[in-house]
Amino acid sequence: MLRYKENISEYIIKCRRDLHQIPEIGLNLPKTLEYVKKELKNMGIDYKEFKTCTGLSGLIGKKTNKKVIALRADMDALPITEETKVDFKSTNGNMHACGHDAHTAMLLGAAKILKENEDKLNGQVKLIFQPGEEYGGGAKVMMDEGVLENPKVDAIIAQHVMSIPYFKPGQIVTKKGGMMASSDRFKIKVVGKGAHASTPEFSKDPIFMTNQIINMIQGILTRENDVQNPIVISISNIKSEQPSTPAYNIIPNYVEILGTVRCLENDSRDFVNKRLEEIVSGVTKTMGGNYGYEYEYGYPALNNNNDMVDYLSGICKNIWGENSIMLLPKGAMGSEDASYYFEKIPGVYYGLNTIIEGEEIYPLHNPKVKLNEDVFEKGCRLLVEGAINFLNN
């Protein structure tokens, strides 16, 4: 039986509400960092700071064997103005609309329990408090500075709150293999020749070329890709050259296209990159234009280790029953920079459903999203049990 010196649910909720009022974005989270440091000091947990970002790692346990498991929480917020009516709402123009305040609070709760039960650990638990998940790739930044070394980490567990209306509050969801998609971006510049709109024959119309390019991009998905292999290509912005006062009688010299690519299989990224440029090159050459092309590889796809998924499922079913965890039939097309950790070591990433029954459900990243605080203790306990069982079995 694990020891608790205080009501852990109350502690997690307090931490979450404190953090919710100081949301910060990117890799530099000074107020959040100081809050976490203060809590770890009060628990007597040794921690390490990082030079390249405001990340933090802590260690609990002894080197009784060489096993080490990491528990990871992301800490950054979003540049969203909050529109909830909670007493602890943010007022600084940022918002924890993705629930990272809850992730940090649940890991602090897990740290408190694990420290109080340190004598039960047959190995070490590395706590990873990470900035820059939304912007900046904080996982890779911390890895480059050695967060998975000294001591070397054998496996990792990471969780995320989710708003899933067709599951019960507190249900856990995960998936074997591809759980989250990669996230890449592209920029295309279609260069033509401007002219008066009444004489299009004197132009090399970049808008007409852009229309052909967009139609052919959709053909990658419908005619070239296996329908069993999820890929999303989204055009998110189209902007043509225009004078300071937009005019209706000008065919512009160029059009810029911005977009994103999501793939559940990392091998698909090179295929999409290659085909995008081939299409742009072919269309512009055929129509007498030119082009610029940039493809930026972002977060890789997140692949759960099948054995770790089975392991976590067993823990959930033993504690909360058969229906406490659901294995998803397909991955999500959202991305997550925890994928960098999962490329190096086996891990399991899962979602904790935090909808509030009886209230309107808003998705994550919405300025009105609210989380069910009653289920935070469950997320905390799963981190604790996952760590203890991994080290002791």
Side-chain angles (χ1 to χ4, degrees):
M1 180 69 69
L2 297 178
R3 297 187 297 271
Y4 292 63
K5 284 185 179 177
E6 62 182 281
N7 186 314
I8 204 67
S9 180
E10 290 181 1
Y11 173 75
I12 296 168
I13 292 170
K14 178 188 181 302
C15 290
R16 184 261 170 154
R17 293 184 177 186
D18 290 344
L19 291 164
H20 193 83
Q21 296 175 75
I22 54 168
E24 300 168 293
I25 61 174
L27 292 167
N28 186 30
L29 319 176
K31 292 182 179 179
T32 306
L33 176 69
E34 289 304 313
Y35 188 94
V36 174
K37 283 168 59 177
K38 175 175 66 75
E39 293 302 312
L40 294 180
K41 283 179 182 176
N42 290 339
M43 298 176 203
I45 295 174
D46 293 331
Y47 59 82
K48 173 191 172 183
E49 296 186 61
F50 289 73
K51 298 177 182 178
T52 49
C53 67
T54 53
L56 205 67
S57 66
L59 268 181
I60 303 172
K62 300 180 175 61
K63 298 178 182 178
T64 50
N65 61 29
K66 293 185 178 180
K67 291 178 76 173
V68 179
I69 187 165
L71 306 177
R72 175 266 197 172
D74 39 8
M75 305 188 294
D76 57 320
L78 290 158
I80 292 175
T81 300
E82 183 164 357
E83 296 180 15
T84 69
K85 295 180 180 179
V86 297
D87 295 337
F88 51 91
K89 70 181 291 185
S90 164
T91 59
N92 69 357
N94 299 326
M95 180 187 176
H96 272 294
C98 202
H100 296 183
D101 53 340
H103 303 168
T104 305
M106 285 186 280
L107 184 54
L108 285 171
K112 183 178 282 287
I113 296 171
L114 288 166
K115 185 62 179 177
E116 291 179 14
N117 293 272
E118 197 166 19
D119 58 313
K120 294 183 173 65
L121 301 180
N122 189 23
Q124 292 179 294
V125 180
K126 181 173 283 191
L127 312 170
I128 299 177
F129 293 92
Q130 179 213 303
E133 191 281 323
E134 300 289 353
Y135 312 105
K140 188 174 188 307
V141 172
M142 292 184 74
M143 283 174 58
D144 288 344
E145 206 173 326
V147 72
L148 298 182
E149 306 297 329
N150 300 317
K152 182 176 174 59
V153 176
D154 299 301
I156 188 167
I157 300 174
Q159 67 175 344
H160 203 296
V161 297
M162 293 187 177
S163 295
I164 311 175
Y166 41 86
F167 288 141
K168 293 289 186 182
Q171 274 191 306
I172 306 295
V173 295
T174 189
K175 181 185 178 296
K176 291 186 175 182
M179 174 78 176
M180 303 286 282
S182 60
S183 176
D184 302 334
R185 61 183 67 176
F186 61 87
K187 179 178 180 180
I188 299 167
K189 187 171 185 178
V190 180
V191 182
K193 179 182 177 182
H196 194 286
S198 66
T199 55
E201 68 272 20
F202 297 141
S203 74
K204 303 293 183 185
D205 188 348
I207 293 178
F208 187 69
M209 291 186 234
T210 296
N211 183 52
Q212 307 308 310
I213 288 168
I214 291 173
N215 285 336
M216 292 186 72
I217 286 174
Q218 295 307 309
I220 296 174
L221 304 178
T222 62
R223 290 297 177 267
E224 298 183 41
N225 180 54
D226 182 346
V227 295
Q228 303 298 320
N229 174 29
I231 296 176
V232 172
I233 305 174
S234 291
I235 305 296
S236 53
N237 190 276
I238 302 172
K239 181 178 74 173
S240 71
E241 177 199 34
Q242 282 284 355
S244 56
T245 302
Y248 293 93
N249 59 354
I250 299 173
I251 293 175
N253 285 301
Y254 67 83
V255 172
E256 292 180 334
I257 307 169
L258 302 180
T260 183
V261 178
R262 306 295 176 107
C263 305
L264 276 178
E265 295 184 8
N266 282 317
D267 291 346
S268 300
R269 304 164 82 185
D270 291 337
F271 159 71
V272 173
N273 181 12
K274 178 174 179 289
R275 288 297 293 129
L276 282 175
E277 185 166 17
E278 287 175 347
I279 287 170
V280 174
S281 174
V283 169
T284 54
K285 184 177 181 180
T286 300
M287 297 185 171
N290 208 332
Y291 74 96
Y293 178 77
E294 299 173 21
Y295 191 96
E296 180 183 342
Y297 286 87
Y299 300 165
L302 187 151
N303 286 285
N304 275 335
N305 177 275
N306 289 350
D307 291 339
M308 290 292 289
V309 171
D310 287 338
Y311 161 72
L312 186 88
S313 298
I315 292 173
C316 286
K317 292 173 183 178
N318 286 337
I319 299 174
W320 297 294
E322 191 70 25
N323 294 325
S324 62
I325 185 166
M326 309 294 289
L327 295 186
L328 299 174
K330 58 184 179 180
M333 300 312 290
S335 62
E336 164 62 74
D337 80 339
S339 55
Y340 289 117
Y341 302 123
F342 285 54
E343 284 188 319
K344 299 296 183 183
I345 54 176
V348 57
Y349 182 94
Y350 63 87
L352 173 68
N353 197 23
T354 51
I355 63 167
I356 302 173
E357 287 187 314
E359 293 192 15
E360 185 171 358
I361 298 170
Y362 292 96
L364 299 178
H365 289 224
N366 185 290
K368 294 183 179 181
V369 67
K370 291 170 65 178
L371 305 183
N372 187 335
E373 296 180 326
D374 293 339
V375 305
F376 291 169
E377 185 176 0
K378 185 173 185 178
C380 167
R381 187 175 176 192
L382 187 50
L383 291 175
V384 170
E385 297 288 348
I388 290 177
N389 279 274
F390 180 86
L391 296 178
N392 292 353
N393 293 325

